[in-house]
Amino acid sequence: YAYFDGTTWQIEAVDTVGTVGEYTSLALDAAGRPHISYYDTSNQDLKYAYFDGTTWQIEAVDTVGTVGEYTSLALDAAGRPHISYYDTSNQDLKYAYFDGTTWQIEAVDTTEDVGRFTSLALDAAGRPHISYYDYINRDLRYTQLDCL
């Protein structure tokens, strides 16, 4: 993670266990603290890290199969993370969000090979909107979820 402190660039390692850090997405919370979603290549998992003001906290979000490429992260009004990503094992678009207690995970689009190159945004009501790539048809896709 790198940031400019007003004078120089500060660089720090967030997760150094195995081969980690592919397909990163960064969001800052209301206090300006960084949150990062990324792919753990060593374990083939979706991971999430955030700085709590003292240290980096790291969590495995989805560990079933090969999951976590092409992440996109957004924080809702309460500062809770939402992540869209690609499930390589099933070739699906997936979505995960932290409900305050546990991670909720769902397959959003399971038609053929979809879900690469995701981009996630939350609307004013906190509903996720996701754009992503349909590999088979070579199309851009969009979905809005009413799950919250």
Side-chain angles (χ1 to χ4, degrees):
Y1 170 68
Y3 65 95
F4 190 70
D5 67 7
T7 306
T8 61
W9 281 96
Q10 301 297 317
I11 301 170
E12 55 190 79
V14 174
D15 185 349
T16 59
V17 179
T19 304
V20 292
E22 290 188 6
Y23 305 103
T24 64
S25 183
L26 170 70
L28 301 177
D29 63 23
R33 294 180 180 152
H35 297 246
I36 304 170
S37 62
Y38 59 99
Y39 180 58
D40 175 343
T41 305
S42 294
N43 297 301
Q44 301 176 327
D45 295 336
L46 171 65
K47 292 184 85 175
Y48 165 70
Y50 66 94
F51 188 70
D52 66 9
T54 305
T55 61
W56 284 96
Q57 303 297 319
I58 299 169
E59 305 174 19
V61 176
D62 191 346
T63 61
V64 179
T66 302
V67 292
E69 294 179 321
Y70 307 104
T71 73
S72 183
L73 169 69
L75 302 177
D76 63 23
R80 294 180 182 151
H82 298 248
I83 307 169
S84 61
Y85 59 101
Y86 181 61
D87 175 342
T88 305
S89 293
N90 297 300
Q91 300 179 325
D92 295 338
L93 170 67
K94 289 184 83 175
Y95 168 69
Y97 68 95
F98 188 72
D99 67 8
T101 305
T102 61
W103 284 96
Q104 303 297 318
I105 299 170
E106 60 186 85
V108 175
D109 190 343
T110 61
T111 57
E112 297 178 338
D113 188 351
V114 295
R116 300 177 196 208
F117 308 104
T118 69
S119 183
L120 169 69
L122 302 177
D123 64 22
R127 290 183 303 258
H129 297 250
I130 306 170
S131 64
Y132 56 100
Y133 183 61
D134 176 340
Y135 184 78
I136 299 298
N137 297 301
R138 308 276 193 251
D139 291 333
L140 171 65
R141 286 195 178 186
Y142 165 81
T143 188
Q144 173 186 337
L145 305 176
D146 293 322
C147 61
L148 304 177

